């Protein structure tokens, strides 16, 4: 339906492991899914270039124009939404920022924002970054913020190396969403009911997160 908003968020992983094959697969899957917005994190300059040169994607989407240095975020928005893109700086040690788009057609006034919040043991930075996002989104009647937040509702960073969790459930970082974005619904909790859809990080299975 024309009034339904479909958003895909995807951390595409900056590692060089089969990188060209993964980029190709991601672009093909994006066309198959064809949502209204596609929000990518850990985008390398080479992947940004490939997205901007992809004929099929460019036929369907406007692509955020901001330069990627190191790695960053990029957004694709369906052309029929006629969006304006913008970017807000975060307090960060890792070059992170808030990328957002405001629709002016079909779903006028809808705002979609994406971010890759500070990685690893950086709870205070992540809260500050969410506060920047909340301040920007406060005036929007309908808004989505998505991306890689680097926390979840079940563990603290590094718990896979501990015999006892660092914090009890009521003190987990995920509660910052209720504090900073109280009017938003955490769809990760709403729809992530089975075990396989609820992992944000697993330092045992994914060794790149284990240090």
């Amino acid at each position: 339906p024309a009034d339904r908003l479909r958003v895909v968020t995807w951390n595409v992983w900056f590692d060089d492991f089969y990188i060209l094959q993964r980029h190709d697969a991601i672009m093909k899957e994006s066309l198959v899914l064809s949502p209204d917005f596609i929000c990518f994190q850990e985008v390398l300059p080479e992947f940004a270039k490939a997205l901007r040169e992809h004929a099929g994607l460019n036929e369907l989407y406007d692509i955020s124009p901001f330069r990627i240095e190191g790695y960053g975020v990029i957004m694709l928005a369906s052309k029929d939404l006629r969006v304006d893109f913008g970017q807000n700086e975060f307090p960060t040690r890792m070059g992170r920022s808030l990328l957002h788009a405001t629709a002016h057609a079909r779903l006028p006034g809808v705002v979609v924002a994406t971010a890759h919040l500070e990685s690893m043991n950086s709870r205070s930075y992540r809260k500050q970054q969410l506060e920047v996002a909340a301040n920007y989104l406060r005036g929007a009647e309908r808004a989505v913020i998505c991306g890689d937040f680097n926390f979840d509702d079940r563990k603290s960073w590094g718990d896979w190396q501990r015999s006892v969790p660092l914090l009890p459930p009521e003190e987990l970082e995920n509660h910052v969403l209720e504090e900073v974005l109280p009017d938003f619904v955490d769809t990760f909790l709403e729809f992530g009911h089975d075990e396989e859809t609820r992992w944000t990080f697993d330092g045992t299975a994914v060794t790149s997160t284990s240090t």
Side-chain angles (χ1 to χ4, degrees), residues 86-149:
Q87 197 168 32
N88 289 45
E89 296 302 315
F90 276 155
T92 180
R93 301 166 299 175
M94 301 178 179
R96 308 295 166 87
S97 61
L98 180 74
L99 176 60
H100 47 83
T102 301
H104 298 286
R106 185 158 66 83
L107 296 169
V110 163
V111 179
V112 173
T114 190
H116 185 184
L117 301 186
E118 209 82 352
S119 301
M120 298 184 287
N121 189 21
S122 305
R123 182 169 182 164
S124 63
Y125 273 97
R126 288 191 287 269
K127 182 177 181 181
Q128 294 175 65
Q129 292 166 350
L130 283 172
E131 289 170 341
V132 170
N135 286 334
Y136 178 76
L137 296 171
R138 188 162 288 124
E141 291 185 10
R142 295 178 293 174
V144 173
I145 178 170
C146 61
D148 184 344
F149 287 8

Side-chain angles (χ1 to χ4, degrees), residues 123 154 156 159 162 164-173:
R123 182 169 182 164
R154 299 195 295 182
S156 297
D159 270 357
R162 303 182 179 102
V164 177
L166 177 66
L167 297 171
E170 64 272 15
E171 295 180 19
L172 287 173
E173 185 176 353

Side-chain angles (χ1 to χ4, degrees), residues 38-188:
I38 310 174
C39 303
F40 291 123
Q41 304 88 42
E42 293 199 17
V43 173
L44 294 169
E46 295 83 358
F47 186 44
K49 183 174 184 290
L51 289 170
R52 290 169 176 147
E53 293 178 351
H54 192 286
L57 290 171
N58 276 274
E59 184 177 346
L60 296 176
Y61 293 101
D62 292 317
I63 302 176
S64 56
F66 307 108
R67 184 177 179 181
I68 301 285
E69 295 189 20
Y71 68 83
V73 294
I74 199 167
M75 187 186 301
L76 285 65
S78 180
K79 285 184 177 293
D80 67 342
L81 294 167
R82 288 180 41 226
V83 305
D84 288 331
F85 291 108
Q87 197 168 32
N88 289 45
E89 296 302 315
F90 276 155
T92 180
R93 301 166 299 175
M94 301 178 179
R96 308 295 166 87
S97 61
L98 180 74
L99 176 60
H100 47 83
T102 301
H104 298 286
R106 185 158 66 83
L107 296 169
V110 163
V111 179
V112 173
T114 190
H116 185 184
L117 301 186
E118 209 82 352
S119 301
M120 298 184 287
N121 189 21
S122 305
R123 182 169 182 164
S124 63
Y125 273 97
R126 288 191 287 269
K127 182 177 181 181
Q128 294 175 65
Q129 292 166 350
L130 283 172
E131 289 170 341
V132 170
N135 286 334
Y136 178 76
L137 296 171
R138 188 162 288 124
E141 291 185 10
R142 295 178 293 174
V144 173
I145 178 170
C146 61
D148 184 344
F149 287 8
N150 273 308
F151 57 77
D152 67 22
D153 66 313
R154 299 195 295 182
K155 66 174 73 65
S156 297
W157 174 263
D159 270 357
W160 51 85
Q161 297 175 324
R162 303 182 179 102
S163 57
V164 177
L166 177 66
L167 297 171
E170 64 272 15
E171 295 180 19
L172 287 173
E173 185 176 353
N174 204 63
H175 293 293
V176 72
L177 297 175
E178 303 163 13
E179 176 186 349
V180 177
L181 295 162
D183 297 325
F184 283 68
V185 174
D186 186 351
T187 56
F188 195 71

Side-chain angles (χ1 to χ4, degrees), residues 12-27:
V12 296
W13 195 31
F14 58 69
D15 196 86
D16 61 1
F17 181 77
Y18 283 97
I19 190 168
L20 295 180
Q21 294 90 332
R22 288 191 293 110
H23 287 173
D24 184 57
I26 289 165
M27 290 187 286

